[in-house]
Amino acid sequence: MGHRDAIVSQYVGIPKHAFIWNDVFIVSILYKKQFRTYFSSIGISITKHISKMQTALGSLIGPKKELHDLEGRVALVTGGALGIGYEVSRAFASAKAKIIMVSRDEDQGSAAITGIKKYFGSDTVVEWIHCDLGNLHEIKDVFTTIREKEDRLDLLVLSAGINANKYNLDYDGIDQHFGVNWLGQFYATNLLFPLIRRTSKMPSTPAPRIIVESSELHRLAPSATKFDSLDDINNSKLGPTQLYGRSKLAMILGIKYGLLERVMKPNADNIYAIAVHPGAVNTAIQQQWKDAYPGLTGKLLTNASLAIGRSPEQGAFTTLYAATSPEIEEKGWNGAYLSDPGKLGKESSQASDPKLGASLWTLSEDLVRQKIGENALLDWCS
């Protein structure tokens, strides 16, 4: 354990050998019996020290914030009214961008607009639009309207998602993890891409960027993942972390071997697409561990994530870096996977498999056409 870990451990009163960071900590609880046994005895202590831990983490660990001026630019954030997505929306508002937040909960949307305008001024340009990212028909209507209404789209941040949870189907009869975390946002990107491409050709305009929030837990995707059929996706025997990990694997593959290799390179687009890992973050989504693993394990996972996770603001930093830093273009990081601001992540072997990426892209297009119709997808080259 490093020096800063020891400092925080001492600060909150947790034994040094119990202090494990971020996703490594979560995996340990899930797969190592000794950690489950140990934390059953200190779970109450962890919960009591959540607020102290967050205070310590804010000053001692975590990525550094980097945000650049966005005046005159338009940003759309799925899941932009809550958690990491809300912090991204707030940051974009502080940089003077126009913000479009897309999510399901109207109350959260109203509260997000109120909070942003209260903090940055009533003249801040921000709106909220309802859409269920697990409903392809709704996605078609909502994002087609946005494309036709807006004059430009500089930043697309795909932050909506669900955490590891029990197997269930979305509106379209597709595993909810794959449907919400990947397929719905894949379709939204397709419907918005002509607008993004048009923006990239505007005079004196920085290259637009598309950011997806993946996770280090993409490593927990089943080794037998093929992305070759709906039956492969709708495997009810898979556990919550396998389902979640597979959806996050899809995000990395879709950016690198889909958008970059199949769309942007062949069309010489001046557009950047990047996958990021925000870290284990203290947001409401962590409560879903209790549904995924009823009983002690779920409670421990939730409490541990809340206790040692980054704050939502810190969780947004890698996304903000990917969306605005000049280093992305300077270093040629198109299609990259970032584990922290300015730091390339090391993907799993599955996430580096071009054949698996090609299968994912083909399956994604096939599923949208099956559910919506043969003409559902826009031509990526138009």
Side-chain angles (χ1 to χ4, degrees), residues 232-254:
D232 178 52
I233 298 301
N234 287 353
N235 182 352
S236 61
K237 295 181 180 179
L238 297 180
T241 52
Q242 291 177 304
L243 294 166
Y244 178 78
R246 183 180 62 183
S247 72
K248 294 302 178 177
L249 169 64
M251 289 179 150
I252 298 175
L253 289 170

mmCIF file of all heavy atoms in Angstrom, residues 232-254:
data_model
loop_
_atom_site.group_PDB
_atom_site.id
_atom_site.type_symbol
_atom_site.label_atom_id
_atom_site.label_comp_id
_atom_site.label_asym_id
_atom_site.label_seq_id
_atom_site.Cartn_x
_atom_site.Cartn_y
_atom_site.Cartn_z
ATOM 1 N N ASP A 232 -26.931 -15.110 -27.795
ATOM 2 C CA ASP A 232 -25.671 -14.923 -27.074
ATOM 3 C C ASP A 232 -25.813 -13.798 -26.051
ATOM 4 O O ASP A 232 -25.326 -13.900 -24.924
ATOM 5 C CB ASP A 232 -24.549 -14.603 -28.064
ATOM 6 C CG ASP A 232 -23.215 -14.341 -27.378
ATOM 7 O OD1 ASP A 232 -22.797 -15.180 -26.565
ATOM 8 O OD2 ASP A 232 -22.593 -13.296 -27.661
ATOM 9 N N ILE A 233 -26.510 -12.732 -26.433
ATOM 10 C CA ILE A 233 -26.707 -11.592 -25.537
ATOM 11 C C ILE A 233 -27.683 -11.941 -24.418
ATOM 12 O O ILE A 233 -27.450 -11.623 -23.248
ATOM 13 C CB ILE A 233 -27.228 -10.371 -26.324
ATOM 14 C CG1 ILE A 233 -26.201 -9.930 -27.378
ATOM 15 C CG2 ILE A 233 -27.563 -9.223 -25.384
ATOM 16 C CD1 ILE A 233 -24.853 -9.563 -26.814
ATOM 17 N N ASN A 234 -28.781 -12.589 -24.766
ATOM 18 C CA ASN A 234 -29.822 -12.903 -23.777
ATOM 19 C C ASN A 234 -29.556 -14.241 -23.092
ATOM 20 O O ASN A 234 -30.379 -15.155 -23.111
ATOM 21 C CB ASN A 234 -31.196 -12.911 -24.440
ATOM 22 C CG ASN A 234 -31.679 -11.520 -24.779
ATOM 23 O OD1 ASN A 234 -31.054 -10.533 -24.410
ATOM 24 N ND2 ASN A 234 -32.791 -11.428 -25.485
ATOM 25 N N ASN A 235 -28.399 -14.334 -22.475
ATOM 26 C CA ASN A 235 -28.018 -15.537 -21.732
ATOM 27 C C ASN A 235 -28.334 -15.306 -20.259
ATOM 28 O O ASN A 235 -27.574 -14.650 -19.540
ATOM 29 C CB ASN A 235 -26.533 -15.823 -21.929
ATOM 30 C CG ASN A 235 -26.089 -17.097 -21.227
ATOM 31 O OD1 ASN A 235 -26.840 -17.704 -20.466
ATOM 32 N ND2 ASN A 235 -24.851 -17.509 -21.474
ATOM 33 N N SER A 236 -29.450 -15.834 -19.808
ATOM 34 C CA SER A 236 -29.917 -15.580 -18.443
ATOM 35 C C SER A 236 -29.064 -16.266 -17.383
ATOM 36 O O SER A 236 -29.253 -16.018 -16.183
ATOM 37 C CB SER A 236 -31.373 -16.040 -18.299
ATOM 38 O OG SER A 236 -31.490 -17.435 -18.556
ATOM 39 N N LYS A 237 -28.127 -17.106 -17.796
ATOM 40 C CA LYS A 237 -27.269 -17.789 -16.833
ATOM 41 C C LYS A 237 -26.098 -16.919 -16.378
ATOM 42 O O LYS A 237 -25.410 -17.260 -15.415
ATOM 43 C CB LYS A 237 -26.738 -19.089 -17.444
ATOM 44 C CG LYS A 237 -27.820 -20.120 -17.733
ATOM 45 C CD LYS A 237 -27.230 -21.395 -18.319
ATOM 46 C CE LYS A 237 -28.331 -22.418 -18.616
ATOM 47 N NZ LYS A 237 -27.766 -23.662 -19.205
ATOM 48 N N LEU A 238 -25.868 -15.815 -17.063
ATOM 49 C CA LEU A 238 -24.757 -14.940 -16.691
ATOM 50 C C LEU A 238 -25.097 -14.154 -15.431
ATOM 51 O O LEU A 238 -26.240 -13.742 -15.221
ATOM 52 C CB LEU A 238 -24.433 -13.980 -17.830
ATOM 53 C CG LEU A 238 -23.944 -14.604 -19.134
ATOM 54 C CD1 LEU A 238 -23.655 -13.517 -20.164
ATOM 55 C CD2 LEU A 238 -22.699 -15.457 -18.901
ATOM 56 N N GLY A 239 -24.091 -13.913 -14.616
ATOM 57 C CA GLY A 239 -24.275 -13.152 -13.391
ATOM 58 C C GLY A 239 -24.237 -11.655 -13.641
ATOM 59 O O GLY A 239 -23.853 -11.196 -14.725
ATOM 60 N N PRO A 240 -24.615 -10.852 -12.641
ATOM 61 C CA PRO A 240 -24.674 -9.398 -12.797
ATOM 62 C C PRO A 240 -23.373 -8.759 -13.273
ATOM 63 O O PRO A 240 -23.389 -7.904 -14.158
ATOM 64 C CB PRO A 240 -25.044 -8.915 -11.390
ATOM 65 C CG PRO A 240 -25.820 -10.046 -10.803
ATOM 66 C CD PRO A 240 -25.142 -11.281 -11.328
ATOM 67 N N THR A 241 -22.238 -9.154 -12.686
ATOM 68 C CA THR A 241 -20.981 -8.524 -13.094
ATOM 69 C C THR A 241 -20.555 -8.955 -14.491
ATOM 70 O O THR A 241 -19.912 -8.191 -15.207
ATOM 71 C CB THR A 241 -19.852 -8.847 -12.097
ATOM 72 O OG1 THR A 241 -19.772 -10.257 -11.901
ATOM 73 C CG2 THR A 241 -20.096 -8.167 -10.767
ATOM 74 N N GLN A 242 -20.918 -10.166 -14.892
ATOM 75 C CA GLN A 242 -20.613 -10.607 -16.252
ATOM 76 C C GLN A 242 -21.429 -9.815 -17.269
ATOM 77 O O GLN A 242 -20.911 -9.392 -18.309
ATOM 78 C CB GLN A 242 -20.902 -12.101 -16.398
ATOM 79 C CG GLN A 242 -19.962 -13.002 -15.618
ATOM 80 C CD GLN A 242 -20.350 -14.463 -15.759
ATOM 81 O OE1 GLN A 242 -21.490 -14.850 -15.468
ATOM 82 N NE2 GLN A 242 -19.420 -15.283 -16.205
ATOM 83 N N LEU A 243 -22.701 -9.610 -16.969
ATOM 84 C CA LEU A 243 -23.566 -8.839 -17.861
ATOM 85 C C LEU A 243 -23.081 -7.392 -17.964
ATOM 86 O O LEU A 243 -23.012 -6.818 -19.055
ATOM 87 C CB LEU A 243 -25.006 -8.874 -17.347
ATOM 88 C CG LEU A 243 -25.694 -10.243 -17.371
ATOM 89 C CD1 LEU A 243 -26.971 -10.215 -16.537
ATOM 90 C CD2 LEU A 243 -26.005 -10.672 -18.803
ATOM 91 N N TYR A 244 -22.757 -6.815 -16.825
ATOM 92 C CA TYR A 244 -22.263 -5.438 -16.799
ATOM 93 C C TYR A 244 -20.915 -5.334 -17.518
ATOM 94 O O TYR A 244 -20.702 -4.453 -18.357
ATOM 95 C CB TYR A 244 -22.123 -4.979 -15.352
ATOM 96 C CG TYR A 244 -21.562 -3.584 -15.190
ATOM 97 C CD1 TYR A 244 -22.364 -2.469 -15.397
ATOM 98 C CD2 TYR A 244 -20.236 -3.394 -14.814
ATOM 99 C CE1 TYR A 244 -21.857 -1.188 -15.238
ATOM 100 C CE2 TYR A 244 -19.722 -2.120 -14.649
ATOM 101 C CZ TYR A 244 -20.532 -1.018 -14.864
ATOM 102 O OH TYR A 244 -20.015 0.244 -14.709
ATOM 103 N N GLY A 245 -20.006 -6.251 -17.188
ATOM 104 C CA GLY A 245 -18.684 -6.229 -17.809
ATOM 105 C C GLY A 245 -18.754 -6.364 -19.317
ATOM 106 O O GLY A 245 -18.010 -5.710 -20.052
ATOM 107 N N ARG A 246 -19.661 -7.212 -19.793
ATOM 108 C CA ARG A 246 -19.811 -7.394 -21.241
ATOM 109 C C ARG A 246 -20.286 -6.109 -21.913
ATOM 110 O O ARG A 246 -19.827 -5.756 -23.010
ATOM 111 C CB ARG A 246 -20.787 -8.531 -21.520
ATOM 112 C CG ARG A 246 -20.947 -8.855 -22.998
ATOM 113 C CD ARG A 246 -21.930 -9.976 -23.217
ATOM 114 N NE ARG A 246 -23.269 -9.633 -22.736
ATOM 115 C CZ ARG A 246 -24.304 -10.473 -22.764
ATOM 116 N NH1 ARG A 246 -24.153 -11.702 -23.217
ATOM 117 N NH2 ARG A 246 -25.489 -10.087 -22.320
ATOM 118 N N SER A 247 -21.203 -5.389 -21.267
ATOM 119 C CA SER A 247 -21.689 -4.138 -21.858
ATOM 120 C C SER A 247 -20.588 -3.088 -21.911
ATOM 121 O O SER A 247 -20.513 -2.294 -22.859
ATOM 122 C CB SER A 247 -22.893 -3.611 -21.070
ATOM 123 O OG SER A 247 -22.522 -3.106 -19.801
ATOM 124 N N LYS A 248 -19.707 -3.080 -20.908
ATOM 125 C CA LYS A 248 -18.609 -2.119 -20.896
ATOM 126 C C LYS A 248 -17.512 -2.524 -21.886
ATOM 127 O O LYS A 248 -16.823 -1.669 -22.456
ATOM 128 C CB LYS A 248 -18.043 -1.995 -19.478
ATOM 129 C CG LYS A 248 -19.040 -1.390 -18.490
ATOM 130 C CD LYS A 248 -19.496 -0.009 -18.934
ATOM 131 C CE LYS A 248 -20.506 0.608 -18.011
ATOM 132 N NZ LYS A 248 -20.909 1.980 -18.400
ATOM 133 N N LEU A 249 -17.356 -3.823 -22.096
ATOM 134 C CA LEU A 249 -16.467 -4.311 -23.153
ATOM 135 C C LEU A 249 -16.965 -3.827 -24.509
ATOM 136 O O LEU A 249 -16.177 -3.380 -25.357
ATOM 137 C CB LEU A 249 -16.418 -5.838 -23.116
ATOM 138 C CG LEU A 249 -15.747 -6.535 -24.307
ATOM 139 C CD1 LEU A 249 -14.267 -6.185 -24.381
ATOM 140 C CD2 LEU A 249 -15.945 -8.054 -24.210
ATOM 141 N N ALA A 250 -18.275 -3.899 -24.716
ATOM 142 C CA ALA A 250 -18.860 -3.459 -25.985
ATOM 143 C C ALA A 250 -18.541 -1.995 -26.257
ATOM 144 O O ALA A 250 -18.290 -1.609 -27.406
ATOM 145 C CB ALA A 250 -20.373 -3.682 -25.966
ATOM 146 N N MET A 251 -18.526 -1.178 -25.229
ATOM 147 C CA MET A 251 -18.251 0.247 -25.417
ATOM 148 C C MET A 251 -16.842 0.483 -25.960
ATOM 149 O O MET A 251 -16.642 1.305 -26.859
ATOM 150 C CB MET A 251 -18.436 0.990 -24.097
ATOM 151 C CG MET A 251 -19.882 1.107 -23.660
ATOM 152 S SD MET A 251 -20.011 1.973 -22.088
ATOM 153 C CE MET A 251 -21.620 2.729 -22.263
ATOM 154 N N ILE A 252 -15.871 -0.220 -25.404
ATOM 155 C CA ILE A 252 -14.493 -0.052 -25.870
ATOM 156 C C ILE A 252 -14.344 -0.571 -27.294
ATOM 157 O O ILE A 252 -13.756 0.092 -28.162
ATOM 158 C CB ILE A 252 -13.513 -0.778 -24.925
ATOM 159 C CG1 ILE A 252 -13.593 -0.182 -23.517
ATOM 160 C CG2 ILE A 252 -12.083 -0.679 -25.460
ATOM 161 C CD1 ILE A 252 -12.758 -0.917 -22.481
ATOM 162 N N LEU A 253 -14.889 -1.754 -27.552
ATOM 163 C CA LEU A 253 -14.817 -2.332 -28.895
ATOM 164 C C LEU A 253 -15.540 -1.454 -29.910
ATOM 165 O O LEU A 253 -15.053 -1.249 -31.033
ATOM 166 C CB LEU A 253 -15.441 -3.725 -28.893
ATOM 167 C CG LEU A 253 -14.671 -4.837 -28.188
ATOM 168 C CD1 LEU A 253 -15.544 -6.081 -28.071
ATOM 169 C CD2 LEU A 253 -13.379 -5.175 -28.931
ATOM 170 N N GLY A 254 -16.708 -0.944 -29.526
ATOM 171 C CA GLY A 254 -17.502 -0.146 -30.451
ATOM 172 C C GLY A 254 -16.824 1.143 -30.858
ATOM 173 O O GLY A 254 -16.933 1.590 -32.007
#
